Amino acid sequence: MTSRTLPAGFLWGGAVAAHQVEGAYNVDGKGLSVADVMTAAGTHDERKITQGVQPGEFYPNHEAVDFYHRYPEDVKLFAEMGFKSFRTSIAWSRIFPQGDELEPNEAGLAFYDRLFDECHKYGIEPVVTLSHFEMPYHLVTAYGGFRSRKTITFFTRFARAVFTRYRDKVKYWLTFNEINNQTNYDREFTLFTNSGFQVKPGENAEAVMYQAAHYEVVASALAVQIAHSINPDFQVGAMVAFTPVYPATDNPRDVFKAQRAMQSRFWFSDVQVEGQYPSWLTHYFQAKKYDLDITPADLANLKKGTVEYLGFSYYMSFATQANDHEDDQFSYNESQDLVTNQFVPQSDWGWQVDPEGLRYALNWMNDRYHLPLFVVENGIGAIDHLTADHEVHDQYRIDYLREHIEQMELAMTEDGVEVMGYTPWSAIDIVSASTGQLSKRYGFIYVDRNDDGSGSLARYRKDSFYWYQHVIATNGAELNQTVGEKDESKS
Ligand code: P53
């Protein structure tokens, strides 16, 4: 595996999100965000969402891994790995602590100046998500998050403030992280983190999700337009969780069910890329009698605010099967309609590990969208063991990443797909989004912090750190360099 040549300038790097690393949740004027009212859960249960911050509860994002104070040390380690890019988000509630102020918080803006300057010191290009599961909590309590059309205005005001401030420091932007996670509208976590609301008793969760997501795609399209009025060189992308949904069998009903699942998961990027709703979905709204607030002005704005590239996360694949009683309308309910794929193994958290699915994903999006693609997340959550010598022999992580990079390189060199870069999840250990655990580790850099918040916060390079350093140094040509004591494979 030495012959594949990737383009010069390929954006190798790593990714995190503000709320999962920064901590300092109430420092320098930061307001509470949705991430600040979620407790920690165990491996197989959901995080609790509390009414504000409650005494006696533990909120792991409040301190996270203290990147807010330790970023110079961490960015230096990223540079040592050879990062060309670093994906993070701007915590919305640092800039607009309540969300509905008219003027931004200077101390919050100043923090990201320092962070982006630190990146540029090492030639690292920031890739910045505007909204990564961290809406100001006041927008939740006062407006119901994206239930309200007003939140479009709050979001675009935030976007304008940061586009203006970082006009010459950030070139690559993403609007909403994994905007399509809320396809699984039965999960409290997805609606709360994507859209800032919870479903009320008696409400049709699917209908409310579609309304909120409509406001988000409009907000995204407006942000694209604002971005280009501020700096025509900005590259603004959409971001979806690319979890492909395969048919469980070759039964045509299963195949159609899988197609409907893919339509349901990817109408978000269809709208963000094409600038219009797919026809199946407008028919679906009518059939379901979903009377949504979608105005002619919205539709015009969607057309004017299409994205220039598509970022996506890739962790796993799904499979689905038609129900015997499925009506003609074929709907997809992600909390009920998935089945286990017997051909792929699962991680300790039950995620179906499928490297070839990444090549499929890249080809699928290339065929559908005809835009440059950016792998902005890919990785495996695993229990790591820190040795007495402060080493972590994470061969399972190296194996996961190597197999996925191989498939990405095949898509690029054999299939002709244009990929801008690869920023695996995660650059450094983070607080897991879905479980709040520190022990579901993703990083190249180990952080001494435990699920209960104990630990020194010291940083240690894992074996995968040295392995990835060599991958970047060879521009992806050498993926088999082994490191350290190695081969304590857990996978
Ligand atoms: P955690 C679901 C499916 C795919 C990706 O996830 C997901 C989720 C939400 O849990 O989230 C993304 O930490 C997300 C990151 C997150 C990462 O994947 O739940 O963009 O914020 O940490 C991994 O194991």
Side-chain angles (χ1 to χ4, degrees):
M1 252 288 306
T2 52
S3 62
R4 303 210 173 95
T5 310
L6 264 46
F10 185 76
L11 291 168
W12 294 102
V16 298
H19 73 282
Q20 291 174 272
V21 293
E22 286 176 5
Y25 81 110
N26 59 1
V27 171
D28 290 339
K30 181 181 170 299
L32 288 180
S33 82
V34 294
D36 294 322
V37 299
M38 292 196 295
T39 64
T43 299
H44 297 294
D45 35 71
E46 296 272 302
R47 302 178 73 171
K48 208 165 52 182
I49 298 167
T50 58
Q51 300 294 311
V53 171
Q54 295 293 334
E57 295 284 2
F58 174 59
Y59 300 97
N61 299 76
H62 287 192
E63 290 85 29
V65 297
D66 197 34
F67 183 75
Y68 191 79
H69 297 109
R70 289 162 197 255
Y71 71 89
E73 178 192 349
D74 293 339
V75 174
K76 191 162 181 239
L77 286 166
F78 303 158
E80 189 183 321
M81 265 186 284
F83 278 19
K84 315 287 182 213
S85 67
F86 171 55
R87 172 174 178 244
T88 189
S89 58
I90 294 177
W92 187 349
S93 64
R94 284 196 196 285
I95 312 302
F96 289 95
Q98 302 286 302
D100 57 0
E101 299 91 338
L102 292 174
E103 296 302 325
N105 169 35
E106 173 56 31
L109 289 167
F111 168 68
Y112 293 101
D113 270 322
R114 296 197 295 278
L115 173 59
F116 300 147
D117 288 347
E118 199 69 17
C119 291
H120 286 300
K121 198 164 113 185
Y122 301 102
I124 297 173
E125 192 71 57
V127 177
V128 175
T129 314
L130 292 172
S131 181
H132 191 133
F133 305 171
E134 51 212 0
M135 176 190 290
Y137 185 58
H138 171 72
L139 296 185
V140 174
T141 52
Y143 303 91
F146 269 106
R147 279 178 188 277
S148 170
R149 180 176 277 278
K150 289 191 183 123
T151 299
I152 300 177
T153 306
F154 304 138
F155 176 80
T156 52
R157 193 178 294 152
F158 162 58
R160 182 182 295 280
V162 296
F163 289 151
T164 305
R165 179 73 168 224
Y166 311 118
R167 187 183 175 280
D168 303 312
K169 294 186 185 182
V170 177
K171 179 175 175 195
Y172 299 100
W173 299 90
L174 296 155
T175 55
F176 289 93
N177 183 65
E178 291 188 339
I179 189 169
N180 64 332
N181 259 1
Q182 56 199 324
T183 304
N184 196 343
Y185 49 79
D186 278 349
R187 264 183 84 190
E188 196 179 32
F189 169 83
T190 58
L191 288 179
F192 192 65
T193 55
N194 274 142
S195 296
F197 68 85
Q198 288 165 285
V199 175
K200 296 172 187 160
E203 248 181 349
N204 182 325
E206 188 186 43
V208 197
M209 179 277 286
Y210 276 119
Q211 182 65 71
H214 170 70
Y215 291 147
E216 285 156 29
V217 289
V218 171
S220 173
L222 290 167
V224 171
Q225 296 172 55
I226 294 165
H228 292 138
S229 73
I230 291 169
N231 184 345
D233 292 334
F234 278 166
Q235 298 271 308
V236 188
M239 197 295 195
V240 289
F242 199 95
T243 307
V245 189
Y246 302 148
T249 74
D250 48 11
N251 180 339
R253 288 174 57 77
D254 289 352
V255 174
F256 184 72
K257 179 79 179 184
Q259 184 175 51
R260 176 48 44 94
M262 294 291 275
Q263 289 172 321
S264 303
R265 286 190 62 82
F266 299 106
W267 71 266
F268 305 80
S269 41
D270 290 348
V271 173
Q272 290 173 298
V273 173
E274 314 279 341
Q276 61 183 18
Y277 272 85
S279 58
W280 78 269
L281 187 52
T282 43
H283 280 76
Y284 186 79
F285 291 156
Q286 283 162 15
K288 292 275 176 178
K289 301 199 167 46
Y290 292 165
D291 183 20
L292 304 182
D293 171 29
I294 299 178
T295 67
D298 291 345
L299 297 177
N301 274 318
L302 293 177
K303 268 261 172 275
K304 282 190 277 185
T306 56
V307 294
E308 296 156 279
Y309 72 98
L310 183 58
F312 69 97
S313 66
Y314 182 83
Y315 291 90
M316 59 186 152
S317 59
F318 291 156
T320 193
Q321 187 165 34
N323 307 314
D324 292 339
H325 53 269
E326 194 85 63
D327 62 19
D328 291 343
Q329 186 54 52
F330 270 95
S331 58
Y332 172 65
N333 181 322
E334 197 153 293
S335 65
Q336 294 168 13
D337 291 344
L338 297 180
V339 295
T340 302
N341 182 340
Q342 56 174 316
F343 296 98
V344 300
Q346 296 191 3
S347 79
D348 293 344
W349 276 262
W351 291 21
Q352 300 188 133
V353 175
D354 175 16
E356 286 166 319
L358 176 56
R359 183 175 181 179
Y360 172 84
L362 286 161
N363 277 279
W364 191 91
M365 282 182 276
N366 188 50
D367 286 350
R368 194 172 179 104
Y369 297 133
H370 312 286
L371 283 182
L373 302 170
F374 197 152
V375 187
V376 296
E377 289 182 32
N378 172 230
I380 185 161
I383 304 275
D384 288 340
H385 174 66
L386 185 70
T387 70
D389 300 331
H390 297 141
E391 292 178 349
V392 177
H393 303 309
D394 56 343
Q395 188 61 40
Y396 40 90
R397 181 168 294 108
I398 294 172
D399 292 342
Y400 177 100
L401 294 172
R402 186 192 58 244
E403 288 168 13
H404 284 78
I405 293 172
E406 274 168 6
Q407 295 297 322
M408 174 182 75
E409 293 185 351
L410 285 168
M412 294 173 72
T413 59
E414 306 295 317
D415 309 332
V417 178
E418 184 182 347
V419 184
M420 298 159 63
Y422 179 74
T423 54
W425 192 266
S426 50
I428 184 168
D429 285 345
I430 47 92
V431 176
S432 158
S434 59
T435 71
Q437 293 168 301
L438 228 306
S439 57
K440 189 179 187 186
R441 293 180 186 272
Y442 283 92
F444 296 108
I445 299 163
Y446 184 94
V447 179
D448 178 16
R449 188 171 163 90
N450 304 309
D451 286 344
D452 63 1
S454 61
S456 69
L457 291 170
R459 276 59 171 153
Y460 301 106
R461 297 164 184 83
K462 302 182 190 177
D463 284 357
S464 56
F465 179 103
Y466 299 105
W467 170 81
Y468 191 47
Q469 184 180 51
H470 190 75
V471 171
I472 298 177
T474 61
N475 197 20
E478 292 180 22
L479 306 179
N480 288 310
Q481 169 111 341
T482 50
V483 283
E485 313 274 324
K486 72 163 205 74
D487 260 345
E488 293 184 354
S489 182
K490 288 190 195 171
S491 56

